[in-house]
Amino acid sequence: MNRLFRPLIVLMVLAILPSQTLLADSTQRAVDSSSKLSERPLTATQCRPLRPLSELLERLPRPEDKEALRAAKARLEPMFRAEKSDTRHSYDVLHYEINMNIDIPGDSVRSAAVFIDCRSETDTLSVVDLNFLGMTIDSITVDGAAVSYDRQGDQLLVDLGATVSQGDSFQVAVYYHGRPQTPGGGLYISSNVTYTLCEPEGARNWFPCYDKPSDKATADISITVPDGYIVASNGLLVGVAKDDEAKTATYSWSETYPIATYLISLAISEYATFSYWYEGVGDTMEIACYAPPEDSANAAVDFSNLPEMIACYDGLFGTYPFIEEKYGMATISFGGGAMEHQTCTSWGFSITGNNTYDWVVAHELAHQWWGDWVSPDNWKEIWLNEGFATYSEALWMEYLYGGPGLRAYMSEMQDYYVRWETASGRSFPIYDPPSGYLFSPTEYDKAGSVLHMLRFVVGDSTFFDILRTYGANHAYGNAVTDDFKSVCEDLSGRDLDWFFQQWIYEPGFPRFSFAWNYEAEARAGYLVNISLVQQQNGPVFEMPVEIGITTGSGLVLDTVLVDEEAEQIQLTVQEQPLGVQLDPNEWLLCQKEEVQVTEPILVMDRYTIDDLDGDGWLNPGETADLIITLENQGTTACGITGILRTGDEQVTIVDSTANFEEIRFFQSGDNALTPFIFSVSSQASPHWAYFTLLVFAAGDYQETITFRLPVGVPTVLLVDDDGGGDEEAFYTGLLDSLNVLYDMVDMDKSGFLGRDLQAFEAVIWFTGLETANTLTPADQDSLAAFLDAGGNLLAAGSGLGNDIGASDFYGDYLHAVWSGETSSMLLQGVTGDPISDGQLMVILDQEGQQDHLSADGEAGTAACFNYIGDGAAAIRHEGAYKTLYFGYSLEYTRSDNPSAMTPHKLMSAILHWFGAVTPVESGDDPAVFLPRHFALDQNYPNPFNASTRISFHLDRAGPVELTIFNVAGQRVRTLAGGEYPAGRHLLLWDGRDDRGLQAASGIYFCRIRAGDRRSMVKMLLLR
Ligand SMILES: [Zn+2]
């Protein structure tokens, strides 16, 4: 296990080197130092000056051309009928002999005879299952004797007439004719150009075969065409036979290297031909080109780099795999694509005469190694073809333009993928792409970028050893991802499970935001503080990351291992830092953005109440220490002090001052040594007490932070049992607005933690949209005991009936009978019901998952809400205990219609009905308890990415203006303007300005004005 070392904080002195910097020798290295980009061509055979980078920059692939390269193949994928299975079949195809007379003017196959040499892989083989679709079969023989057969869809089942033993060979001959069909590829006949295009599984449309890439065979291909046409195909041309009487020519090709069925090809036209010659070691190989006569001069330019390209890849991957035969390029017309047919690429891009599509020429040539020499075992492994060919494009550019060329090409590839995934919203693992995405940027550009990162992790020399060894191990055969991974691990000597897991088997990429500053250290240079955050939804990525610090003498480079959502990195340099770059050499597939921070941003991270009985709740009469943890999201703040205030009449502050000392950039600090002390009146009722913390620091820094603390002991327990959803926000918002003190447990994270239900007057238990694992038997027992002791329960969830509708608890305590689900969304309260009293509610955004209920008939049980015209939606029971059960998720009820009952009024009525819960008052005013003063809370979350919540409290009604400003003082967004009632109000800022455009990363100020009072908080937006 030679895992990367990872100090939480990397503190090291770096050597400063000009331009391309190396790493200091004395430092332990996570990354092979040979991974620096080469400045020279990689192959030793070439020694010539690099071409100018500006030439490459003008020629980087255009997005529309990248799209075209994939689209030609992707068009065939919707017809992709095969399961992506890797199961073995019962026989092995050894050789295909395809004889076909094509009637080009007649748009049909005049006659065809295909001989398939097979070997049995079992002792009981009696039927051979081939793939063949369309055209008319005239007869089938096995070893010359006619046999019966059955066609089922694209299956062709040939009865062998006897049982063939394992290892025994036999030959199936299929004679057929007709007009080929081309759903999912096949043979396209036209007078201009006739060609085949079959990836992934369209070969069955033009010849019978076992149409899986795992069964490779050799092939002889003899095609008869009208005079004047030339047939290009796989392998070597062994003869052209003219028939003067029939005015035809028969081209006979022989492919003696194993070939997968999707790579067997024809390209037929009235071609002009020309050749290049590749001078290999001790051998000369033809590069045979076929192009329309009018394009052949330009084609000769476009394909002219092939000899040098083959030399380049020979050096990197191993000798060209089909060196005894040829390489070829045959133009066909399929509108922008190209296809890596073995030894004879089909070319559908336009001919330009100026090497515009050199990258595609390189891509298809590289496939001769990656796809043709080593073929995927099955289509889940498509990245072993396309990722490798796409990365090979970059290797060709590195050969031509050196390290800067590689960086430029990879940067474009990474950016292209990041843009595609961001715009399309399609994020899925490279391995086993979903249907319709076999030929997507994930398999091309992301997989290519992953190989580049692998090179970074294992180093140049190991990386190219890996490619050559992987190729040699699976030469002329097949491979799966694990084969490649095991070569990587063997040759690097490292466990690379983490790398393959996150990059191949899981989706996405890291989206980094970072900020930095520095401090001059006494006699020790400059300490650079870097805060790095991974902003993506989904798992945190683990990668070595290069960090470059620009100084007057050049770039200082170091590599750190990043593996946490938020990292603090410290580096020391000898000269004043001028800038920090993340991954300056473009190794990583990631999004990266620098956020400018210019001053301290102190926000409250959390509080701790240290009280007498140690329960963290402020009982009446108690005195407690209050420790506040501040987080600094900006530059270092020194000499921080705090003053605590409150307007709450039931709270007395005994010690109002505290010292937080110094909090550095993106660090936390607290006042544990100088806690605030306050006491609670012995007459205190349960409520939220509001506090203001004034924070001062050196340099005239001043900040006001408002927060609230619960006073008294909560009477309501909120049980978050939504299976990891975020339904709790609905309930906490309602309870907050009703000023009800509550305690909350998250069943998905912590369970009950031994909480005693009996300590609460009411339990609110919500299961959201969960339809399984809602209330466990243990949960039901706890609730039954709570209710037996006279408790009050509100239970809500659209899956409870489905999950526990048959349980004793459901009948005995919820008093409901479940009869399936309904899609009714309109709710009518029962007239005279103490909670619903005939009022209307509506369910939105949830379709057809509501539970259909009826009351069990026991005394004290009644429907509380009915679906309009469709039975009960909520059941209420009042006896020795009270239960109220909603067969739908309350959080999907909306209050958009002013004549309908709001969730707020509903919750108020429920708590009032429970009665024991104090102190809740009924009434239309949502603010049951008015805040005792005016306050603006710190936004949450902060820093934020997509959106942040801003809440404020008004102790009296009046005009409010709430505005977002940037650091330049410009107004960005007006969130509120108008009359607001007293109470707590919650606003959401989506990070957009008044025109709806996304605001840039950085510091923003949220300012509120209410009459003559004002307050402001600072927020940090990280994109
Ligand atoms: Zn490709």
Side-chain angles (χ1 to χ4, degrees):
M1 292 274 285
N2 183 14
R3 292 297 297 275
L4 296 164
F5 84 106
R6 188 193 177 280
L8 182 67
I9 291 175
V10 181
L11 183 59
M12 52 186 63
V13 177
L14 301 173
I16 296 176
L17 294 171
S19 66
Q20 275 288 297
T21 54
L22 288 175
L23 307 166
D25 291 344
S26 59
T27 315
Q28 189 187 355
R29 276 302 129 221
V31 173
D32 186 330
S33 61
S34 68
S35 66
K36 78 189 175 65
L37 296 173
S38 58
E39 293 297 308
R40 290 170 285 106
L42 285 160
T43 46
T45 55
Q46 298 296 317
C47 190
R48 45 145 188 74
L50 294 174
R51 298 166 70 124
L53 187 63
S54 56
E55 177 185 286
L56 170 65
L57 296 178
E58 280 170 19
R59 242 183 233 171
L60 288 171
R62 296 178 303 175
E64 58 268 37
D65 290 330
K66 290 169 81 81
E67 166 77 11
L69 179 66
R70 291 181 287 102
K73 292 183 174 187
R75 272 204 302 273
L76 308 185
E77 201 212 334
M79 302 308 297
F80 173 47
R81 37 177 104 68
E83 72 288 1
K84 289 180 281 184
S85 95
D86 49 7
T87 53
R88 298 287 146 196
H89 59 137
S90 54
Y91 62 95
D92 182 20
V93 177
L94 306 174
H95 184 72
Y96 291 102
E97 183 186 324
I98 300 169
N99 302 278
M100 184 172 280
N101 184 325
I102 302 178
D103 175 8
I104 291 177
D107 198 14
S108 68
V109 172
R110 183 171 285 129
S111 64
V114 172
F115 300 92
I116 309 170
D117 293 334
C118 306
R119 186 174 57 210
S120 175
E121 302 269 272
T122 76
D123 276 334
T124 56
L125 185 67
S126 58
V127 174
V128 166
D129 57 324
L130 292 163
N131 303 114
F132 189 50
L133 187 63
M135 292 197 266
T136 305
I137 294 178
D138 300 309
S139 66
I140 296 183
T141 65
V142 172
D143 292 333
V147 296
S148 63
Y149 60 89
D150 188 20
R151 297 187 77 169
Q152 297 177 1
D154 61 357
Q155 298 295 110
L156 171 58
L157 304 171
V158 178
D159 192 340
L160 296 177
T163 300
V164 179
S165 300
Q166 182 160 14
D168 286 354
S169 297
F170 57 94
Q171 186 185 63
V172 178
V174 182
Y175 301 87
Y176 58 99
H177 72 277
R179 182 169 295 194
Q181 56 183 58
T182 52
L187 172 62
Y188 300 80
I189 303 175
S190 95
S191 58
N192 178 31
V193 60
T194 292
Y195 64 93
T196 61
L197 194 64
C198 301
E199 192 185 14
E201 296 188 352
R204 64 193 67 184
N205 285 333
W206 75 281
F207 69 98
C209 56
Y210 183 75
D211 203 7
K212 295 284 182 196
S214 56
D215 192 351
K216 295 164 80 167
T218 52
D220 287 317
I221 302 149
S222 287
I223 306 297
T224 302
V225 291
D227 263 350
Y229 285 97
I230 289 176
V231 179
S233 185
N234 316 100
L236 282 179
L237 181 64
V238 293
V240 181
K242 299 265 187 188
D243 182 334
D244 291 338
E245 201 168 312
K247 292 194 168 54
T248 60
T250 299
Y251 285 76
S252 294
W253 290 90
S254 180
E255 175 54 276
T256 58
Y257 294 103
I259 184 170
T261 50
Y262 77 96
L263 295 170
I264 297 178
S265 69
L266 304 177
I268 303 167
S269 189
E270 292 172 296
Y271 285 125
T273 63
F274 57 92
S275 296
Y276 300 99
W277 297 90
Y278 169 62
E279 310 285 342
V281 181
D283 214 343
T284 299
M285 183 190 76
E286 185 180 12
I287 301 166
C289 301
Y290 302 80
E294 65 274 19
D295 279 342
S296 63
N298 283 337
V301 176
D302 285 354
F303 303 155
S304 61
N305 284 331
L306 275 168
E308 201 173 357
M309 261 181 209
I310 294 177
C312 166
Y313 290 155
D314 259 19
L316 297 175
F317 309 151
T319 305
Y320 175 74
F322 313 108
I323 190 76
E324 299 294 334
E325 296 180 345
K326 72 165 192 307
Y327 185 55
M329 297 289 281
T331 63
I332 62 174
S333 53
F334 57 90
M339 178 65 210
E340 65 270 22
H341 295 125
Q342 189 161 310
T343 72
C344 191
T345 284
S346 298
W347 185 262
F349 275 93
S350 52
I351 299 295
T352 64
N354 61 16
N355 297 100
T356 295
Y357 297 116
D358 210 37
W359 61 275
V360 184
V361 175
H363 178 108
E364 302 307 327
L365 174 64
H367 269 310
Q368 300 298 311
W369 284 263
W370 314 123
D372 298 3
W373 185 41
V374 180
S375 303
D377 182 84
N378 60 77
W379 299 112
K380 296 176 186 175
E381 312 281 358
I382 189 68
W383 80 278
L384 297 174
N385 284 19
E386 299 303 348
F388 278 58
T390 304
Y391 189 52
S392 299
E393 298 165 20
L395 297 176
W396 169 242
M397 300 307 165
E398 181 180 17
Y399 175 94
L400 289 182
Y401 305 99
L406 177 64
R407 281 194 291 276
Y409 203 83
M410 289 313 300
S411 175
E412 191 280 335
M413 191 185 298
Q414 294 154 355
D415 289 353
Y416 176 82
Y417 183 74
V418 166
R419 283 197 306 273
W420 179 80
E421 188 184 305
T422 305
S424 71
R426 294 298 307 183
S427 183
F428 51 84
I430 285 174
Y431 180 76
D432 193 12
S435 179
Y437 290 87
L438 197 59
F439 301 105
S440 60
T442 307
E443 309 305 314
Y444 284 66
D445 304 277
K446 181 177 176 183
S449 301
V450 168
L451 288 173
H452 191 54
M453 290 188 283
L454 179 69
R455 176 176 172 179
F456 177 52
V457 168
V458 301
D460 264 19
S461 63
T462 303
F463 176 75
F464 290 105
D465 273 354
I466 286 170
L467 291 188
R468 282 186 289 267
T469 306
Y470 163 69
N473 286 357
H474 301 279
Y476 309 108
N478 300 85
V480 296
T481 300
D482 270 350
D483 295 326
F484 179 63
K485 179 179 170 225
S486 69
V487 173
C488 294
E489 292 186 328
D490 286 351
L491 293 187
S492 69
R494 305 161 92 166
D495 174 6
L496 292 171
D497 205 54
W498 61 277
F499 183 90
F500 280 80
Q501 190 58 39
Q502 70 184 0
W503 289 116
I504 302 295
Y505 295 109
E506 281 176 20
F509 55 84
R511 296 180 189 264
F512 293 118
S513 287
F514 70 101
W516 67 281
N517 75 353
Y518 69 91
E519 299 151 43
E521 299 278 282
R523 298 185 304 279
Y526 296 81
L527 181 66
V528 182
N529 301 300
I530 300 158
S531 177
L532 180 62
V533 182
Q534 297 193 31
Q535 298 276 1
Q536 71 276 6
N537 295 322
V540 169
F541 280 78
E542 170 184 343
M543 275 302 282
V545 176
E546 276 187 348
I547 292 173
I549 299 171
T550 310
T551 70
S553 303
L555 191 70
V556 181
L557 205 60
D558 193 22
T559 303
V560 297
L561 182 70
V562 167
D563 64 356
E564 288 180 18
E565 192 174 343
E567 309 247 356
Q568 313 303 329
I569 299 159
Q570 293 186 305
L571 302 169
T572 301
V573 288
Q574 297 309 311
E575 288 182 67
Q576 188 177 13
L578 305 173
V580 170
Q581 295 176 59
L582 196 66
D583 188 36
N585 285 314
E586 316 280 1
W587 286 110
L588 305 186
L589 176 65
C590 67
Q591 183 177 289
K592 51 197 176 192
E593 194 200 25
E594 181 180 340
V595 179
Q596 303 284 350
V597 180
T598 52
E599 55 189 297
I601 305 177
L602 291 171
V603 300
M604 186 160 142
D605 184 42
R606 60 182 181 274
Y607 65 77
T608 309
I609 293 173
D610 192 359
D611 60 350
L612 290 173
D613 58 4
D615 69 354
W617 293 105
L618 293 168
N619 303 71
E622 239 181 351
T623 296
D625 286 359
L626 174 65
I627 298 163
I628 289 176
T629 302
L630 297 176
E631 186 181 272
N632 187 357
Q633 297 168 354
T635 57
T636 298
C638 305
I640 307 167
T641 56
I643 297 176
L644 187 68
R645 290 181 181 158
T646 184
D648 193 292
E649 288 156 6
Q650 300 180 5
V651 172
T652 305
I653 296 179
V654 179
D655 185 342
S656 66
T657 61
N659 201 335
F660 295 84
E661 305 290 348
E662 173 182 295
I663 305 177
R664 289 187 168 196
F665 181 66
F666 273 85
Q667 308 276 330
S668 296
D670 63 36
N671 62 324
L673 296 177
T674 55
F676 297 113
I677 302 171
F678 66 101
S679 61
V680 176
S681 149
S682 58
Q683 309 301 317
S685 57
H687 70 282
W688 291 103
Y690 286 82
F691 293 82
T692 302
L693 175 63
L694 299 170
V695 181
F696 303 92
D700 288 339
Y701 177 87
Q702 186 179 340
E703 186 88 67
T704 305
I705 296 171
T706 56
F707 61 97
R708 63 179 192 170
L709 297 177
V711 170
V713 177
T715 52
V716 171
L717 178 67
L718 187 58
V719 183
D720 174 359
D721 196 8
D722 58 7
D726 55 3
E727 321 283 350
E728 62 275 14
F730 171 84
Y731 291 93
T732 56
L734 280 185
L735 294 176
D736 281 351
S737 69
L738 290 166
N739 216 17
V740 172
L741 277 194
Y742 55 90
D743 195 2
M744 186 161 85
V745 286
D746 187 341
M747 298 303 278
D748 305 315
K749 291 189 180 136
S750 57
F752 266 125
L753 293 177
R755 272 187 184 70
D756 178 14
L757 290 185
Q758 316 300 339
F760 299 94
E761 294 173 1
V763 171
I764 298 174
W765 195 304
F766 60 95
T767 57
L769 301 178
E770 281 286 278
T771 54
N773 309 315
T774 54
L775 299 191
T776 66
D779 295 342
Q780 295 170 28
D781 290 348
S782 302
L783 285 173
F786 169 67
L787 292 171
D788 286 340
N792 300 301
L793 172 68
L794 165 60
S798 53
L800 278 169
N802 187 51
D803 191 25
I804 62 162
S807 68
D808 288 347
F809 178 81
Y810 194 84
D812 295 348
Y813 289 92
L814 299 183
H815 297 278
V817 177
W818 181 65
S819 56
E821 291 173 344
T822 174
S823 55
S824 296
M825 293 165 86
L826 284 176
L827 302 164
Q828 170 88 61
V830 174
T831 306
D833 183 89
I835 294 163
S836 64
D837 194 21
Q839 300 204 63
L840 294 171
M841 290 195 82
V842 60
I843 302 172
L844 292 179
D845 305 333
Q846 193 202 357
E847 291 165 6
Q849 297 160 325
Q850 294 81 266
D851 276 338
H852 201 282
L853 310 175
S854 53
D856 70 352
E858 195 173 315
T861 305
C864 174
F865 277 97
N866 289 308
Y867 300 108
I868 289 181
D870 195 22
I875 303 294
R876 184 172 60 79
H877 176 82
E878 182 168 6
Y881 56 82
K882 289 177 182 168
T883 55
L884 180 57
Y885 160 45
F886 290 86
Y888 53 93
S889 301
L890 274 184
E891 47 277 28
Y892 288 89
T893 52
R894 291 287 183 272
S895 54
D896 302 357
N897 181 344
S899 68
M901 188 179 200
T902 64
H904 187 275
K905 288 180 193 166
L906 177 69
M907 184 59 78
S908 173
I910 292 168
L911 293 176
H912 197 67
W913 178 62
F914 284 156
V917 178
T918 52
V920 174
E921 294 173 1
S922 61
D924 292 339
D925 191 338
V928 177
F929 277 85
L930 297 180
R932 290 184 171 86
H933 70 175
F934 162 79
L936 174 67
D937 291 343
Q938 181 70 44
N939 62 307
Y940 179 85
N942 192 43
F944 69 102
N945 177 236
S947 65
T948 191
R949 295 200 295 272
I950 298 165
S951 63
F952 60 93
H953 311 256
L954 298 177
D955 51 356
R956 55 180 187 260
V960 170
E961 185 186 286
L962 195 143
T963 316
I964 312 288
F965 293 91
N966 64 19
V967 283
Q970 295 157 324
R971 190 208 314 264
V972 174
R973 178 78 175 267
T974 302
L975 278 184
E979 290 286 326
Y980 274 74
R984 178 171 184 252
H985 302 277
L986 188 65
L987 298 171
L988 199 70
W989 185 37
D990 59 5
R992 293 178 185 276
D993 65 16
D994 279 328
R995 290 171 300 164
L997 303 175
Q998 286 201 337
S1001 292
I1003 297 171
Y1004 290 86
F1005 301 94
C1006 172
R1007 192 188 67 190
I1008 187 170
R1009 280 179 163 166
D1012 57 350
R1013 293 155 317 156
R1014 58 188 64 188
S1015 182
M1016 189 161 75
V1017 293
K1018 225 181 272 183
M1019 311 181 291
L1020 187 56
L1021 169 62
L1022 296 178
R1023 288 287 182 204

